[in-house]
Amino acid sequence: QRPCFCHWCQARPPDPITSAIAALSARIGLPAATAPSLPADATLLGVNFDRLRTSEEFAAWGAAQARARNFEAAETALERANALDPTSSLVLRRLAEVRALRGDIRRAVENLREAADKAPHDWRIRRRELFHALYLPMPDGFTRALRLADGLAQHPEGALDPMVHVWSACAYGQRHRWLSETSGADSEKAEARAEALAALARAVALAPDPETPPRVTMRSLFDPSANTSDNDLGDFANDPEFIAAI
């Protein structure tokens, strides 16, 4: 059922229902990058917060605010949307995006976990949770990421997604680094290295063109000088087998 926006009629924005649907369905952004604003956002940004009533209205307004980089207002609106409709996995996904943009990765991951529980057939929510888990502190981050990656590898579509395997390699790369920094056993480090290499091999098989996004991402993660923050594979930068694979 479409949300009713009749109480916005004093401002008479153009087609507010369409604007709300477009704003809520579009992505907000990743941890380091906000998505560009939509034409629909201009309509929603002109609506006062106290005119909002339904979960859809709060969520659409919050998404528009987030793309305008008004993150505090966005989070407040999306929290209200979630309270009004706690069954909506989409609202939780948008709330996770805002919290990730604000640097609150742990709560973002928890929102995605809850969203996945509410929409168990949507494997892409687990995919997004996997990505965000890599930004949690070690060892919690890579432990969670590996569990998610293993589950996605058993999914008929997830197993064919090269980025799932790239992120799996990242998680093993993080585990290798953590073991190196905490005097882990050589056998455990060797296992982490082997699993990272195998995951990259699967990604390459699924994305044979070296100019596809998964392959470009692999190279950036492999070169610490090119990517000082997301360098999960940096431990293997001088490893001949990794160089050959990538």
Side-chain angles (χ1 to χ4, degrees):
Q1 182 178 358
R2 286 184 171 182
C4 176
F5 283 74
C6 60
H7 54 272
W8 288 5
C9 61
Q10 183 176 353
R12 290 293 178 187
D15 199 3
I17 293 177
T18 301
S19 297
I21 293 172
L24 183 54
S25 62
R27 294 291 304 275
I28 289 172
L30 299 174
T34 308
S37 293
L38 302 176
D41 290 351
T43 299
L44 294 165
L45 292 172
V47 175
N48 291 329
F49 183 86
D50 59 7
R51 292 184 179 275
L52 307 174
R53 294 294 182 272
T54 68
S55 174
E56 293 86 353
E57 292 173 12
F58 280 102
W61 189 90
Q65 292 290 340
R67 285 186 290 270
R69 302 189 64 80
N70 300 321
F71 298 133
E72 184 175 358
E75 185 170 358
T76 297
L78 285 160
E79 286 174 340
R80 179 60 176 158
N82 183 51
L84 288 169
D85 183 9
T87 67
S88 173
S89 65
L90 180 55
V91 169
L92 284 164
R93 284 156 51 197
R94 295 294 171 259
L95 182 57
E97 288 180 273
V98 171
R99 285 176 168 163
L101 284 163
R102 300 193 77 186
D104 193 349
I105 301 297
R106 188 168 297 280
R107 292 178 77 194
V109 170
E110 291 303 323
N111 288 146
L112 289 168
R113 180 199 55 76
E114 187 179 352
D117 289 343
K118 294 179 187 303
H121 301 299
D122 189 349
W123 68 276
R124 291 185 177 277
I125 301 176
R126 295 289 188 198
R127 180 185 190 272
R128 183 55 49 189
E129 185 184 352
L130 164 59
F131 170 76
H132 283 76
L134 293 168
Y135 289 88
L136 291 171
M138 298 186 290
D140 181 38
F142 67 72
T143 301
R144 189 168 195 150
L146 289 172
R147 185 181 71 250
L148 289 161
D150 288 345
L152 287 166
Q154 304 304 313
H155 189 279
E157 292 179 84
L160 298 177
D161 185 336
M163 284 308 304
V164 167
H165 301 288
V166 171
W167 291 330
S168 176
C170 288
Y172 280 112
Q174 288 186 9
R175 175 169 168 76
H176 185 277
R177 180 171 306 163
W178 180 76
L179 289 167
S180 298
E181 293 174 350
T182 58
S183 302
D186 289 342
S187 60
E188 291 182 299
K189 287 186 283 187
E191 180 185 10
R193 175 195 172 278
E195 292 288 357
L197 186 60
L200 290 180
R202 290 190 292 271
V204 169
L206 291 166
D209 183 349
E211 298 308 315
T212 55
R215 298 291 298 278
V216 172
T217 299
M218 284 169 56
R219 292 195 295 274
S220 71
L221 294 165
F222 187 63
D223 184 359
S225 65
N227 192 338
T228 57
S229 57
D230 293 336
N231 58 351
D232 295 332
L233 303 177
D235 279 9
F236 314 119
N238 298 314
D239 188 313
E241 288 190 80
F242 278 83
I243 293 171
I246 289 178

